Amino acid sequence: MAPEKTSDGLDNYAFTVDGVDRFCELPENMNGRGSFSEEGDSNKLAYCVTDIPPWYLCIFLGIQHYLTAFGGIIAIPLILSQGLCLQHDGLTQSHLISTIFFVSGLCTLLQVTFGVRLPILQGGTFTLLSPTMALLSMPEWSCPAWTQNASLVNTTSPEFIEVWQSRMQVIQGSIMVGSLFQVLVGFSGLIGLFMRFIGPLTIAPTISLIGLSLFDSAGINAGHHWGISSMTTCLIVIFSQYLRHIAIPFPKYTKAKKFHTTKIYIFQILPVLLGITLSWLICYLLTIYDVLPSDPDKYGYLARTDIKGDITGRAPWFRFPYPGQWGVPTVSLAGVFGILAGVISSMIESVGDYHACARLSGAPPPPRHAINRGIGIEGIGCLLAGAWGTGNGTTSYSENVGALGITKVGSRMVIVASGFVMIIMGMFGKIGAIFATIPTPVVGGMFLVMFGVIMAAGVSSLQYTDMNSSRNIFIFGFSMFTGLTIPNWIMKNPTSIATGVVELDHVLLVLLTTSMFVGGFFGFLLDNTIPGTKRERGIIAWNKAHQNESDTLESDDVYGLPFGITTCFSSFTWTKYVPFCPTHKVSTQDDPPSSLDSLDTKEPNKDDAHIIAGVAL
């Protein structure tokens, strides 16, 4: 297959396969010769999805993936700590951080081994954060006033423990029940049916409102010291945007060249980590020299690094997270419905990540059974995350998909190593304690960048649609505006919903205060009812970006189950009817070429280069 051009003009050779063991083979150049230019060599993958790099390289690159996901994963417990009334309990925050790293590593191993089997990392998801915060904002779960005052909080008192654990338990139960829907959709093969009715005009407001709905959290955290938060934001922007193309020399040893230097785009790989670390260090220096105020009532006090006491000293060296560590989960019907809205958004995002990951790792397009299995395993991952008590679920991490293209290493063994690294890090209590000492304004500065990028990622889905169409402008604008207006009004008037049924009131309160649900609902409803052509709606381009291909021998080598399970299943005829089995085949004569294709696939798409770049983003 000829290489496709991405938005940056580089050739994409990920699907140029013509043999079982040659997933990374480059096509011939324009003159038909087999030689390649220096630029072409630089775009060739060093290790493909089925390759196994040396063990030391796997460990190093695995740690790199762990650090790449660090910013997104650690942000979730820090945001949840406010709704859980834990903003003054640094030790418990450290336990939450350790737990989410442990579960993310466990889910990563499950996904790479038995799921979609692509080198894709699993971690916490912001799509579940919005409905969770909406649940915790209900009057019955709002934090008592005394928990907002650090001088009144005794973190070891049974009263305080009951306050935050009761909230965590209802989140756990809601996530566990809601994740069963994702398990059902994945393993039953219903994901293809859902994707037929969900297009860019549904995705754009849903994802965009995740970032927009969290602006208050970002502002509160950053407002404790705008100088520190602005510095953090500026550092992340400088590293990720202005210095990303600058390579830094690092020492390297090989048998051929012995000790030499190699250049790594460190600013492009770890901009968030570098920005946080540098701001964190400056806050530490300002603290030990008493530049920052030591009076809790003065502005800038929360920028100090010693306000949470000796968390690192009190944290245990070794702590093994276990299911039910915060108590027996409880279920809230309102919470379950809110989580379902986040789960649907997470599934849609993950399907795009699978295709982008396959291209960047030198694998064939993921077949239906692999996509079904991947979504099902993600549902199991959310179930495990709820049982362990992370306060969140798991999803595929787009940041690490992009890292595959940077490192030119698409081996899934690297992600296996990263999964083990996260599990080990999650069992060392002092590592989580160190992260919990990050000053609040530094976290706020990170939120300003991160939430803005999430919002923009949702808007980028509109590239598939015809935005010169007044129909599409109306749908997107109305969905976005109602997604901000209705939740804002409901939160100011929570008693306005009074149907007479308490359970129904709670469900409506959570759903109508979840911006992503309100915006996504109107986007889905209007896009599927207002007349418009498939090309105008972006369905043709959207489905082309997710187009599947027929199963090949190479596909079975990549997406087949390990330990001889695929061979065992192939001896049974009934497995061809099971949607998540590798032996599941679909007739290409009766069905469209992809489970994600629309009912009308006759219109050709003349320009799909930007589509692939959008999916990768």
Side-chain angles (χ1 to χ4, degrees):
M1 180 182 295
E4 297 181 6
K5 292 284 184 179
T6 58
S7 58
D8 57 2
L10 298 179
D11 290 335
N12 188 332
Y13 299 108
F15 288 155
T16 55
V17 292
D18 60 358
V20 176
D21 299 323
R22 303 188 67 185
F23 294 108
C24 303
E25 182 179 353
L26 293 173
E28 294 183 355
N29 58 17
M30 297 298 294
N31 296 328
R33 295 186 297 269
S35 60
F36 301 98
S37 64
E38 182 178 352
E39 180 181 359
D41 290 336
S42 65
N43 292 328
K44 186 176 181 180
L45 288 173
Y47 296 96
C48 301
V49 61
T50 55
D51 295 337
I52 302 178
W55 64 270
Y56 55 86
L57 186 59
C58 285
I59 295 176
F60 174 78
L61 293 174
I63 294 175
Q64 177 179 258
H65 276 280
Y66 161 78
L67 295 176
T68 304
F70 163 83
I73 294 178
I74 197 178
I76 293 171
L78 295 177
I79 298 173
L80 280 177
S81 63
Q82 301 173 19
L84 293 172
C85 319
L86 289 173
Q87 56 267 46
H88 300 301
D89 187 359
L91 186 60
T92 303
Q93 289 182 27
S94 71
H95 294 336
L96 290 177
I97 293 172
S98 298
T99 301
I100 196 170
F101 274 123
F102 180 87
V103 176
S104 296
L106 184 63
C107 295
T108 296
L109 296 180
L110 287 176
Q111 186 68 274
V112 177
T113 306
F114 299 105
V116 72
R117 304 217 68 204
L118 287 170
I120 192 165
L121 201 79
Q122 304 292 294
T125 170
F126 283 91
T127 58
L128 297 188
L129 194 58
S130 182
T132 300
M133 296 301 290
L135 174 65
L136 294 176
S137 66
M138 294 175 62
E140 62 179 300
W141 296 114
S142 59
C143 293
W146 60 271
T147 62
Q148 310 301 312
N149 191 334
S151 60
L152 299 178
V153 173
N154 180 7
T155 58
T156 59
S157 65
E159 183 183 7
F160 177 74
I161 295 176
E162 173 63 23
V163 166
W164 74 263
Q165 286 193 355
S166 61
R167 287 156 176 76
M168 175 60 80
Q169 288 163 8
V170 73
I171 294 174
Q172 288 184 251
S174 301
I175 291 176
M176 293 175 69
V177 175
S179 64
L180 296 178
F181 174 77
Q182 187 171 4
V183 174
L184 174 64
V185 170
F187 289 123
S188 65
L190 289 175
I191 182 64
L193 178 63
F194 277 99
M195 293 297 292
R196 290 176 185 271
F197 301 99
I198 297 176
L201 288 172
T202 303
I203 301 298
T206 301
I207 303 299
S208 298
L209 287 169
I210 295 175
L212 289 177
S213 64
L214 296 172
F215 77 93
D216 191 45
S217 176
I220 291 175
N221 283 272
H224 290 300
H225 196 298
W226 278 107
I228 298 297
S229 59
S230 299
M231 177 185 63
T232 305
T233 301
C234 290
L235 288 174
I236 296 176
V237 171
I238 290 172
F239 292 152
S240 63
Q241 303 301 320
Y242 294 99
L243 301 181
R244 58 177 177 169
H245 296 306
I246 297 179
I248 304 300
F250 282 86
K252 182 180 180 181
Y253 176 82
T254 59
K255 292 182 179 180
K257 297 183 179 180
K258 303 300 179 183
F259 283 102
H260 62 284
T261 59
T262 182
K263 292 185 177 181
I264 300 177
Y265 294 91
I266 189 69
F267 297 117
Q268 187 175 5
I269 299 174
L270 304 173
V272 175
L273 181 63
L274 292 174
I276 291 177
T277 303
L278 189 55
S279 296
W280 195 1
L281 177 61
I282 293 175
C283 288
Y284 174 74
L285 295 176
L286 296 178
T287 299
I288 62 176
Y289 288 108
D290 287 329
V291 176
L292 295 172
S294 57
D295 186 354
D297 296 328
K298 290 187 176 180
Y299 178 80
Y301 170 74
L302 291 180
R304 296 180 65 92
T305 57
D306 59 355
I307 61 175
K308 295 180 181 179
D310 187 21
I311 301 176
T312 307
R314 290 187 291 127
W317 277 103
F318 181 82
R319 180 181 178 275
F320 186 80
Y322 58 92
Q325 57 184 331
W326 316 127
V328 180
T330 59
V331 179
S332 165
L333 184 62
V336 170
F337 276 91
I339 293 299
L340 285 177
V343 164
I344 294 174
S345 300
S346 177
M347 288 190 295
I348 298 167
E349 181 184 2
S350 294
V351 172
D353 289 336
Y354 295 161
H355 287 267
C357 183
R359 286 188 174 274
L360 292 175
S361 61
R368 289 194 185 107
H369 67 81
I371 294 176
N372 296 337
R373 205 165 57 242
I375 296 298
I377 291 294
E378 284 194 18
I380 294 178
C382 288
L383 185 66
L384 296 178
W388 255 265
T390 65
N392 198 254
T394 59
T395 190
S396 300
Y397 254 49
S398 304
E399 296 91 336
N400 293 81
V401 174
L404 297 176
I406 297 172
T407 61
K408 304 301 178 185
V409 176
S411 172
R412 59 184 168 212
M413 287 304 298
V414 171
I415 304 299
V416 170
S418 182
F420 280 112
V421 168
M422 288 194 290
I423 290 176
I424 294 173
M425 294 298 182
M427 291 190 296
F428 282 95
K430 291 194 180 295
I431 294 179
I434 292 174
F435 293 147
T437 62
I438 300 176
T440 302
V442 175
V443 176
M446 176 185 67
F447 287 169
L448 291 177
V449 177
M450 189 168 296
F451 296 160
V453 171
I454 294 174
M455 185 274 297
V459 175
S460 68
S461 300
L462 296 176
Q463 65 180 300
Y464 305 113
T465 66
D466 179 12
M467 290 310 294
N468 291 320
S469 167
S470 59
R471 170 195 182 273
N472 294 348
I473 292 176
F474 165 75
I475 294 175
F476 178 70
F478 183 80
S479 301
M480 290 290 291
F481 197 74
T482 53
L484 294 173
T485 305
I486 293 177
N488 181 66
W489 187 86
I490 295 294
M491 291 184 70
K492 293 180 178 179
N493 303 273
T495 59
S496 59
I497 299 179
T499 62
V501 181
V502 178
E503 292 78 8
L504 180 59
D505 291 345
H506 289 172
V507 170
L508 293 176
L509 188 61
V510 171
L511 292 180
L512 294 179
T513 53
T514 304
S515 296
M516 59 174 288
F517 169 77
V518 177
F521 171 78
F522 281 111
F524 174 82
L525 178 65
L526 297 176
D527 188 36
N528 284 278
T529 55
I530 297 178
T533 65
K534 287 185 170 61
R535 183 173 296 278
E536 180 185 17
R537 297 169 57 194
I539 300 297
I540 298 295
W542 178 261
N543 290 332
K544 184 67 176 178
H546 295 81
Q547 187 174 1
N548 202 349
E549 296 186 355
S550 59
D551 292 344
T552 61
L553 180 62
E554 295 87 347
S555 177
D556 290 338
D557 290 338
V558 175
Y559 300 106
L561 290 171
F563 314 124
I565 299 178
T566 301
T567 304
C568 180
F569 279 167
S570 62
S571 60
F572 301 101
T573 57
W574 55 267
T575 57
K576 65 181 181 180
Y577 302 107
V578 180
F580 57 87
C581 281
T583 54
H584 177 67
K585 305 295 180 183
V586 181
S587 174
T588 57
Q589 297 177 352
D590 299 331
D591 294 337
S594 172
S595 60
L596 303 174
D597 279 343
S598 64
L599 298 177
D600 181 11
T601 58
K602 295 180 180 180
E603 291 187 58
N605 185 18
K606 298 180 180 180
D607 183 15
D608 64 345
H610 67 287
I611 299 172
I612 304 304
V615 174
L617 175 62

Coordinates of all heavy atoms in Angstrom, one line a residue, residues 458-503:
G458 N -11.6 18.3 21.1 CA -13.0 18.0 20.7 C -13.4 18.9 19.5 O -14.0 18.4 18.5
V459 N -13.0 20.1 19.4 CA -13.3 21.0 18.3 C -12.7 20.5 17.0 O -13.2 20.7 15.9 CB -12.9 22.4 18.6 CG1 -13.1 23.4 17.4 CG2 -13.6 23.0 19.8
S460 N -11.5 19.9 17.1 CA -10.8 19.4 15.9 C -11.6 18.3 15.2 O -11.4 18.1 14.0 CB -9.4 18.8 16.3 OG -9.6 17.6 17.1
S461 N -12.6 17.7 15.8 CA -13.4 16.7 15.1 C -14.3 17.4 14.0 O -14.7 16.7 13.1 CB -14.3 16.0 16.1 OG -13.6 15.3 17.1
L462 N -14.4 18.7 14.1 CA -15.2 19.4 13.1 C -14.5 19.4 11.8 O -15.2 19.8 10.8 CB -15.5 20.8 13.6 CG -16.4 20.9 14.8 CD1 -16.6 22.4 15.2 CD2 -17.8 20.3 14.6
Q463 N -13.3 19.0 11.7 CA -12.6 19.1 10.4 C -13.2 18.1 9.4 O -13.0 18.3 8.2 CB -11.1 18.7 10.6 CG -10.9 17.3 11.1 CD -9.4 16.9 11.3 OE1 -8.6 17.0 10.4 NE2 -9.0 16.6 12.5
Y464 N -13.9 17.1 9.9 CA -14.5 16.1 9.0 C -15.8 16.7 8.4 O -16.3 16.2 7.4 CB -14.9 14.9 9.7 CG -13.7 14.2 10.4 CD1 -13.7 14.2 11.8 CD2 -12.7 13.7 9.7 CE1 -12.6 13.6 12.5 CE2 -11.6 13.1 10.4 CZ -11.5 13.0 11.7 OH -10.5 12.5 12.4
T465 N -16.4 17.7 9.0 CA -17.7 18.2 8.5 C -17.5 19.4 7.6 O -16.5 20.0 7.5 CB -18.6 18.6 9.7 OG1 -18.0 19.7 10.4 CG2 -18.7 17.4 10.7
D466 N -18.6 19.8 7.0 CA -18.7 21.0 6.2 C -19.2 22.2 7.1 O -20.4 22.4 7.3 CB -19.6 20.8 5.0 CG -19.7 22.1 4.1 OD1 -18.9 23.0 4.3 OD2 -20.6 22.1 3.3
M467 N -18.2 22.9 7.6 CA -18.6 24.0 8.5 C -19.0 25.3 7.8 O -19.2 26.3 8.4 CB -17.4 24.3 9.5 CG -17.2 23.2 10.5 SD -18.7 22.7 11.4 CE -19.1 24.1 12.3
N468 N -19.1 25.2 6.5 CA -19.8 26.3 5.7 C -21.3 26.1 5.7 O -22.0 26.9 5.2 CB -19.2 26.3 4.3 CG -17.8 26.8 4.2 OD1 -17.4 27.7 4.9 ND2 -17.0 26.2 3.4
S469 N -21.7 24.9 6.2 CA -23.1 24.6 6.2 C -23.8 25.3 7.5 O -23.3 25.1 8.6 CB -23.3 23.1 6.3 OG -24.7 22.8 6.6
S470 N -24.9 26.0 7.2 CA -25.6 26.6 8.3 C -26.2 25.6 9.3 O -26.4 25.8 10.5 CB -26.7 27.6 7.8 OG -27.6 26.8 7.0
R471 N -26.5 24.4 8.7 CA -27.0 23.3 9.5 C -26.0 22.9 10.6 O -26.3 22.8 11.8 CB -27.4 22.1 8.6 CG -27.7 20.9 9.4 CD -27.7 19.7 8.4 NE -28.1 18.4 9.1 CZ -27.2 17.7 9.8 NH1 -25.9 18.0 9.8 NH2 -27.6 16.6 10.4
N472 N -24.8 22.7 10.2 CA -23.8 22.2 11.1 C -23.4 23.3 12.1 O -23.1 23.0 13.3 CB -22.5 21.8 10.3 CG -22.8 20.6 9.4 OD1 -23.8 19.9 9.6 ND2 -21.9 20.3 8.5
I473 N -23.3 24.6 11.6 CA -23.0 25.7 12.6 C -24.1 25.7 13.6 O -23.8 25.9 14.8 CB -22.9 27.0 11.8 CG1 -21.7 27.0 10.9 CG2 -22.9 28.2 12.7 CD1 -21.6 28.2 10.0
F474 N -25.4 25.6 13.3 CA -26.4 25.6 14.2 C -26.3 24.5 15.2 O -26.4 24.7 16.5 CB -27.8 25.6 13.5 CG -28.9 25.3 14.5 CD1 -29.4 26.2 15.3 CD2 -29.5 24.0 14.5 CE1 -30.5 25.9 16.2 CE2 -30.5 23.7 15.4 CZ -31.0 24.7 16.2
I475 N -26.1 23.3 14.7 CA -26.0 22.1 15.6 C -24.9 22.2 16.6 O -25.1 22.1 17.9 CB -25.9 20.8 14.8 CG1 -27.2 20.5 14.0 CG2 -25.6 19.6 15.8 CD1 -27.1 19.3 13.1
F476 N -23.7 22.6 16.2 CA -22.6 22.7 17.0 C -22.7 23.9 18.0 O -22.5 23.7 19.2 CB -21.3 22.9 16.2 CG -20.1 23.1 17.1 CD1 -19.6 22.0 17.8 CD2 -19.4 24.3 17.2 CE1 -18.4 22.1 18.6 CE2 -18.3 24.4 18.0 CZ -17.8 23.4 18.7
G477 N -23.2 25.0 17.5 CA -23.3 26.2 18.4 C -24.4 26.0 19.5 O -24.2 26.3 20.6
F478 N -25.5 25.4 19.1 CA -26.6 25.1 20.0 C -26.2 24.1 21.1 O -26.5 24.3 22.2 CB -27.9 24.7 19.3 CG -29.1 24.4 20.1 CD1 -29.8 25.5 20.6 CD2 -29.4 23.2 20.6 CE1 -30.9 25.3 21.4 CE2 -30.5 22.9 21.4 CZ -31.3 24.0 21.8
S479 N -25.5 23.1 20.6 CA -25.1 22.0 21.5 C -24.1 22.5 22.6 O -24.2 22.2 23.8 CB -24.5 20.8 20.8 OG -25.4 20.3 19.8
M480 N -23.1 23.3 22.1 CA -22.1 23.9 23.0 C -22.8 24.9 24.0 O -22.5 24.8 25.2 CB -21.0 24.6 22.2 CG -20.1 23.7 21.4 SD -19.1 22.7 22.5 CE -18.0 24.0 23.1
F481 N -23.7 25.7 23.5 CA -24.3 26.8 24.4 C -25.2 26.1 25.4 O -25.1 26.5 26.6 CB -25.0 27.8 23.5 CG -25.3 29.1 24.3 CD1 -24.3 30.0 24.5 CD2 -26.6 29.3 24.7 CE1 -24.5 31.2 25.2 CE2 -26.8 30.5 25.4 CZ -25.8 31.4 25.6
T482 N -26.0 25.2 25.0 CA -26.9 24.5 26.0 C -26.0 23.7 27.0 O -26.4 23.5 28.1 CB -27.9 23.6 25.3 OG1 -27.2 22.7 24.4 CG2 -28.9 24.5 24.5
G483 N -24.9 23.1 26.5 CA -24.1 22.3 27.4 C -23.4 23.1 28.5 O -23.0 22.6 29.5
L484 N -23.3 24.5 28.3 CA -22.8 25.4 29.3 C -23.9 26.0 30.1 O -23.8 26.2 31.3 CB -21.9 26.4 28.7 CG -20.6 26.0 28.0 CD1 -20.0 27.1 27.3 CD2 -19.7 25.4 29.0
T485 N -25.0 26.4 29.4 CA -26.1 27.1 30.1 C -26.9 26.3 31.0 O -27.1 26.6 32.2 CB -27.0 27.7 29.0 OG1 -26.2 28.5 28.1 CG2 -28.1 28.6 29.7
I486 N -27.4 25.1 30.6 CA -28.3 24.3 31.4 C -27.6 23.8 32.7 O -28.2 24.0 33.8 CB -28.9 23.2 30.6 CG1 -29.8 23.7 29.5 CG2 -29.6 22.2 31.4 CD1 -30.4 22.6 28.6
P487 N -26.4 23.2 32.6 CA -25.8 22.8 33.9 C -25.5 24.0 34.8 O -25.6 23.8 36.0 CB -24.4 22.2 33.4 CG -24.7 21.8 32.0 CD -25.6 22.8 31.4
N488 N -25.1 25.1 34.3 CA -24.9 26.3 35.1 C -26.1 26.7 35.9 O -26.1 27.0 37.1 CB -24.3 27.4 34.3 CG -24.0 28.7 35.1 OD1 -23.1 28.7 35.9 ND2 -24.8 29.7 34.9
W489 N -27.3 26.7 35.2 CA -28.5 27.1 35.8 C -29.0 26.1 36.8 O -29.5 26.4 37.9 CB -29.6 27.3 34.8 CG -30.9 27.9 35.4 CD1 -31.2 29.2 35.6 CD2 -32.0 27.2 35.8 NE1 -32.4 29.4 36.1 CE2 -33.0 28.1 36.3 CE3 -32.3 25.8 35.9 CZ2 -34.2 27.7 36.8 CZ3 -33.6 25.4 36.4 CH2 -34.5 26.4 36.9
I490 N -28.9 24.8 36.5 CA -29.3 23.8 37.4 C -28.5 23.8 38.7 O -29.0 23.6 39.8 CB -29.2 22.4 36.7 CG1 -30.2 22.3 35.6 CG2 -29.5 21.2 37.7 CD1 -31.6 22.3 36.0
M491 N -27.2 24.0 38.6 CA -26.3 24.0 39.8 C -26.7 25.2 40.7 O -26.5 25.1 41.9 CB -24.8 24.1 39.3 CG -24.3 22.9 38.7 SD -22.6 22.9 38.3 CE -21.9 22.8 39.9
K492 N -27.1 26.3 40.1 CA -27.5 27.5 40.9 C -29.0 27.3 41.5 O -29.3 28.0 42.4 CB -27.5 28.7 40.1 CG -26.1 29.2 39.7 CD -26.1 30.4 38.8 CE -24.7 30.9 38.5 NZ -24.6 32.1 37.7
N493 N -29.7 26.4 40.8 CA -31.1 26.2 41.3 C -31.4 24.7 41.4 O -32.2 24.1 40.7 CB -32.1 26.8 40.3 CG -31.9 28.3 40.1 OD1 -32.4 29.1 40.9 ND2 -31.1 28.6 39.1
P494 N -30.7 24.0 42.3 CA -30.8 22.5 42.4 C -32.2 22.0 42.9 O -32.5 20.9 42.6 CB -29.7 22.1 43.5 CG -29.5 23.4 44.3 CD -29.7 24.5 43.3
T495 N -32.9 22.9 43.5 CA -34.2 22.5 44.0 C -35.3 22.6 42.9 O -36.5 22.3 43.2 CB -34.6 23.3 45.2 OG1 -34.6 24.7 44.9 CG2 -33.6 23.1 46.4
S496 N -34.9 23.1 41.8 CA -35.9 23.3 40.7 C -36.4 22.0 40.1 O -37.5 22.0 39.5 CB -35.4 24.2 39.6 OG -34.2 23.6 39.0
I497 N -35.6 20.9 40.3 CA -36.0 19.6 39.8 C -36.8 18.9 40.9 O -36.1 18.5 41.9 CB -34.8 18.8 39.3 CG1 -34.1 19.5 38.2 CG2 -35.2 17.4 38.9 CD1 -32.9 18.8 37.7
A498 N -38.1 18.8 40.8 CA -38.9 18.1 41.8 C -40.0 17.4 41.1 O -41.1 17.9 40.9 CB -39.4 19.1 42.8
T499 N -39.7 16.1 40.7 CA -40.7 15.3 40.0 C -41.6 14.5 41.0 O -42.6 13.9 40.6 CB -40.0 14.3 39.1 OG1 -39.2 13.4 39.9 CG2 -39.1 15.0 38.1
G500 N -41.2 14.5 42.3 CA -41.9 13.7 43.2 C -41.3 12.4 43.5 O -41.6 11.7 44.5
V501 N -40.4 12.0 42.6 CA -39.6 10.7 42.8 C -38.2 11.1 43.1 O -37.5 11.6 42.2 CB -39.7 9.8 41.6 CG1 -39.0 8.5 41.8 CG2 -41.2 9.5 41.2
V502 N -37.7 10.8 44.3 CA -36.4 11.2 44.7 C -35.3 10.6 43.8 O -34.4 11.3 43.4 CB -36.2 10.8 46.2 CG1 -34.7 11.2 46.6 CG2 -37.2 11.4 47.1
E503 N -35.4 9.3 43.5 CA -34.4 8.7 42.6 C -34.3 9.4 41.3 O -33.2 9.6 40.7 CB -34.6 7.2 42.5 CG -34.5 6.4 43.8 CD -35.6 6.5 44.7 OE1 -36.6 7.1 44.3 OE2 -35.5 6.0 45.9

